[in-house]
Amino acid sequence: MDIVGIDAALKLVELFGGLDHFGIPKAQAISVALRNSKIREEWPTLSQRQLALKYGLTERQVRKILAVEQQEESRQMGLF
């Protein structure tokens, strides 16, 4: 109750009371998408190494993120 407050806790009990457990989705997918978008935006000014260090990734992971964008652009250009 300390984290969400008494009113929110009461609403959760009202909605989910009596259940053994219920799932709360993580925001991980959105966080990863936002991070990847920032990496793509910063790519022209920062090196792959700098991006990897900044975001706690390996250079290989950064290359994969950048490669996905290039593949999507190529696919879209093929539509025209």
Side-chain angles (χ1 to χ4, degrees), residues 29-43 55 57 61-62 64-66 68-69:
I30 293 171
S31 296
V32 169
L34 288 172
R35 180 204 65 201
N36 293 353
S37 177
K38 288 179 183 178
I39 288 172
R40 289 184 204 105
E41 288 174 11
E42 295 174 2
W43 164 237
Y55 291 99
L57 302 170
Q61 288 171 307
V62 170
K64 284 184 175 184
I65 291 166
L66 296 172
V68 167
E69 179 189 24

Side-chain angles (χ1 to χ4, degrees), residues 1 9-10 12-13 15 20 22-23 30-31 37 40 43 46 50 53 57 62 64-67 70 76-78 80:
M1 286 192 291
L10 290 173
L12 288 171
V13 169
L15 288 171
D20 290 338
F22 61 95
I30 293 171
S31 296
S37 177
R40 289 184 204 105
W43 164 237
L46 297 176
Q50 290 170 319
L53 291 170
L57 302 170
V62 170
K64 284 184 175 184
I65 291 166
L66 296 172
Q70 292 171 351
Q76 288 178 357
M77 292 304 288
F80 297 102

